[in-house]
Structure formats: structure tokens, C-alpha cells
Amino acid sequence: MVDNDFHPVAAAPGQADNAAVRTSAEAWEALFRAQVTLLRRFARDDVWGGLSMREYDVLFTLSRAPGRALRLRELAAGSLLTQPSLSRLVERLEETGLVRRGPVEGDRRGTAVHLTEAGAALQREIGRRHVRSIHALVGGALDPDELATLQRLCDKLRLAQADLPDPGPRTSAPAS
């Protein structure tokens, strides 16, 4: 996040200029704040059917995976949860019959989390309600052209990350 006392240092040769740095930071902050605001609204919504949003997210992610199954590390890669937290969440979902752990096809040592029929049915039921909330809160704020632009920009931003180097540590210029 960007603090309000952001004072960029002079750009070294080959580095982005101060205006570009500020614009990037402000765009990120706007995206982050919009996401937090929407997630809070969605969390208050009465669509989750006794699941947490994180539990629903696991069911949703598995519903979109090939064979409705992923290794735990693959599931963790698309989540904000640490792998130990995700393991505990998967255990709870397994106890309720929404997922099961099982072998990975072609890998006798591998274990995957599989979405059960009950899990898939619950995901679809909650998903239908959730998509109406998304339409009300996102579609209610943006027109169709803006929605298409938002999707295009978010996809571009997400996909570009694979090709961008990690920023690494930054040092600031000494105060004069």
C-alpha cells in the first residue's frame, strides 16, 4: 500500500520517472481499495449457505480445474491462504463431504483435492446467488463498456506478471 507521504526519489538512468512511479502506485491503491470494499460487501451478503468466502473459493477453484481436482500446492497458488491454513480448511471441507483427497492420475505418490458431487452442487447453488450480488455491486457501478475494459485491464495485469522480474530491494537516495 502507498502511504500518503510518498516522496519518490530521483530516477536513476533507466528507471521509471517519478510521475510514472506515482501513477503506478496510485493505480494499485485504487484497485486494492476497490477490491477490499467489494470483498467486505460480499462477505456481508447472505449467499454463502453456511460456508465462509474462503471455503466457497476453494470449491469454486476446484470446479474450474481439469477433472475438478488440484494438488494442494496448486490450490494454494491461487489462494491468499498459507498451505497449512489451506490444509486445515480442506480438512473441514472433507469432513462435510464437499471435497475428498485422492490420488493424482499418473503419479502414485501425489495427492489431490477432488471436488465431490455434493461440493459441486453446493458451489453451483451458492455461485448462482453470488453472481447476482456481483452483478448488483459491480454491474451496478459500471456500464457494459467499462466492465469490458476492467476485465481486459485486469487480465492484462495478471498475465503480465509472469514476464516481469521481481522488483527486488530498493534503496532510497541519501537525504541532502
Side-chain angles (χ1 to χ4, degrees):
M1 283 165 273
V2 179
D3 69 36
N4 291 333
D5 296 325
F6 174 71
H7 300 288
V9 296
Q15 289 184 332
D17 63 61
N18 289 344
V21 170
R22 179 174 288 282
T23 301
S24 295
E26 289 172 350
W28 162 248
E29 190 67 25
L31 176 62
F32 178 77
R33 295 290 171 199
Q35 179 187 12
V36 167
T37 300
L38 285 165
L39 284 174
R40 287 179 178 156
R41 296 279 314 264
F42 292 138
R44 291 193 313 255
D45 202 2
D46 187 27
V47 301
W48 305 109
L51 292 182
S52 70
M53 283 177 51
R54 289 181 174 164
E55 290 168 327
Y56 172 76
D57 186 50
V58 167
L59 299 183
F60 176 77
T61 301
L62 290 171
S63 76
R64 299 185 68 164
R68 297 188 327 194
L70 291 170
R71 294 172 189 264
L72 196 57
R73 73 173 179 274
E74 295 168 330
L75 197 51
S79 169
L80 293 177
L81 296 173
T82 63
Q83 194 156 336
S85 295
L86 183 61
S87 291
R88 287 188 297 276
L89 187 147
V90 166
E91 285 173 14
R92 288 192 306 271
L93 292 172
E94 191 170 29
E95 288 169 5
T96 60
L98 300 175
V99 302
R100 67 174 176 78
R101 293 177 204 245
V104 174
E105 190 173 317
D107 181 356
R108 294 185 349 201
R109 296 183 331 187
T111 301
V113 179
H114 299 260
L115 186 63
T116 64
E117 287 303 320
L122 183 59
Q123 184 280 316
R124 285 189 301 272
E125 176 187 324
I126 293 171
R128 283 190 290 275
R129 293 190 303 258
H130 183 43
V131 80
R132 287 193 292 273
S133 295
I134 293 168
H135 177 66
L137 298 178
V138 179
L142 303 174
D143 67 37
D145 288 340
E146 291 169 327
L147 290 169
T149 298
L150 177 63
Q151 181 178 356
R152 181 179 53 78
L153 292 173
C154 288
D155 287 343
K156 182 178 181 178
L157 180 61
R158 178 180 51 83
L159 294 171
Q161 298 313 302
D163 297 326
L164 295 173
D166 286 339
R170 296 284 187 253
T171 59
S172 58
S176 34

